[in-house]
DNA sequence: CGCAATAGTATTGTGTCCAACTTATTTTTT
DNA sequence: AAAAAATAAGTTGGACACAATACTATTGCG
């Protein structure tokens, strides 16, 4: 046994984080090949997904949907506007808010994007349950490490999780 | 039922990619809080994991272990060298190769890092089986989308058949 | 020697987080 | 109501990471 360092907690192969990190980059890379045809990057594609689904939104809302900072979205949306995919217009009511909407060109892109999920799903040789399980586990992981934890009904294992990581 | 757009293949909530993307960023963010104390970023931590485990390595080997480009590692290692964590020395035999090793300070850091996996594991409210399942599924996903797909000891598909990740 | 392959670096474009800043709105205070 | 303070939405810039490309230097081969 132990052809790898099963006992070493620092062994790379034992790290869930590394598997997640690698898988994320691998999948993003796979999308990159597909999305190049559409002139989109991966996060830009995610932005389009949200806009296609929910229509015109403030930058803030977009950020909440994608868990992305407005500081991340600002230049990204500027590039997408430059590419003619989205519009950015200051709201007449509240001039702080920038409403992001899909242009006609962006709308046309939707049809070409329809096939992408299927293509990706085929590329992953995971069975449907595997995909579902994976999503469930990932969502749970995300919730737990973001402090969005719902504490379902079991006793809190330890109050050491103070929300002030910077403080000390 | 379909209280959400279960049928819409472009719906964000149906995208495995988004769950993966979000989980990866969330976990990296969680590590960021922990690693700040050690003066490491997340990919730098991964580099240290490899070096702690395998000792001095050429940049190329490091890149293979982490699936990272040397173009990514170069500046990263330069910063780590500046921080006094690693050494970079051109091989006397082959002057093209830069051997990366851990300094004493980097070695001392290892002790402080020992507790990290446990801390992270506790933060994720996943059961041990969930963690294992997740890793298996992620690895499988990675293999499938990187073309590293498949059997190490099945019938050899023959030379020249594998297009490689770059495509051809 | 000439030439291809290899290892690493430099550069550019994009993305991500963070913090500082601007502008606009809301709330509080006078 | 006017001034001041607090809050909110975006933008900007810095630091780091990642990928892709071009480039340099070294090695190996004929």
């Amino acid at each position: 046994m132990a052809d790898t360092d099963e006992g070493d907690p620092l062994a790379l192969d034992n790290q869930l984080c590394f598997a997640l990190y690698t898988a994320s980059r691998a999948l993003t890379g796979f999308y990159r090949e597909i999305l190049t045809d559409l002139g989109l990057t991966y996060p830009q594609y995610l932005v389009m997904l949200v806009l296609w689904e929910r229509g015109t939104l403030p930058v803030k809302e977009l950020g909440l949907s994608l868990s992305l900072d407005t500081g991340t979205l600002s230049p990204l949306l500027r590039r997408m506007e430059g590419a003619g995919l989205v519009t950015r217009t200051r709201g007449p009511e509240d001039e702080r808010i920038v409403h992001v909407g899909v242009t006609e060109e962006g709308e046309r892109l939707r049809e070409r994007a329809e096939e992408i999920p299927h293509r990706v799903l085929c590329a992953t040789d995971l069975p449907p349950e595997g995909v579902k399980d994976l999503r469930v586990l990932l969502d749970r992981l995300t919730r737990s490490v973001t402090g969005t934890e719902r504490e379902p009904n079991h006793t809190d294992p330890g109050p050491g999780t103070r929300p002030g990581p910077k403080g000390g």
Side-chain angles (χ1 to χ4, degrees), chain A residues 66-155:
Chain A
L66 298 172
S67 303
L68 281 177
D69 204 284
T70 59
T72 298
L73 288 173
S74 247
L76 192 150
L77 292 172
R78 180 161 34 80
R79 284 188 284 270
M80 292 180 76
E81 184 184 36
L85 297 175
V86 303
T87 58
R88 292 192 300 163
T89 48
R90 291 268 173 191
E93 311 189 348
D94 191 333
E95 292 227 348
R96 294 171 299 182
I97 300 179
V98 171
H99 297 275
V100 183
V102 178
T103 64
E104 283 193 14
E105 186 179 343
E107 202 56 58
R108 277 195 297 274
L109 211 58
R110 180 177 190 161
E111 300 165 16
R112 299 172 58 194
E114 295 273 2
E115 59 160 3
I116 292 181
H118 181 65
R119 282 177 64 182
V120 173
L121 216 54
C122 289
T124 76
D125 71 342
L126 297 176
E129 319 94 54
V131 173
K132 190 182 167 216
D133 292 348
L134 191 46
R135 251 215 344 253
V136 169
L137 288 169
L138 289 172
D139 288 343
R140 210 164 140 188
L141 179 62
T142 300
R143 276 197 307 276
S144 57
V145 298
T146 46
T148 319
E149 181 99 23
R150 266 285 136 245
E151 74 219 85
N153 45 13
H154 66 76
T155 52

Side-chain angles (χ1 to χ4, degrees), chain A residues 24-25 27-33 35-36 39-52 62-63 65-69 71-80 85-86 100 109:
Chain A
S24 179
R25 279 194 305 123
L27 191 58
T28 302
F30 185 74
Y31 268 93
R32 189 175 301 118
E33 301 174 7
L35 292 174
T36 299
L40 287 175
T41 67
Y42 182 66
Q44 287 172 9
Y45 169 69
L46 294 180
V47 166
M48 294 308 289
L49 285 187
V50 175
L51 295 179
W52 283 331
L62 215 42
S65 299
L66 298 172
S67 303
L68 281 177
D69 204 284
T72 298
L73 288 173
S74 247
L76 192 150
L77 292 172
R78 180 161 34 80
R79 284 188 284 270
M80 292 180 76
L85 297 175
V86 303
V100 183
L109 211 58

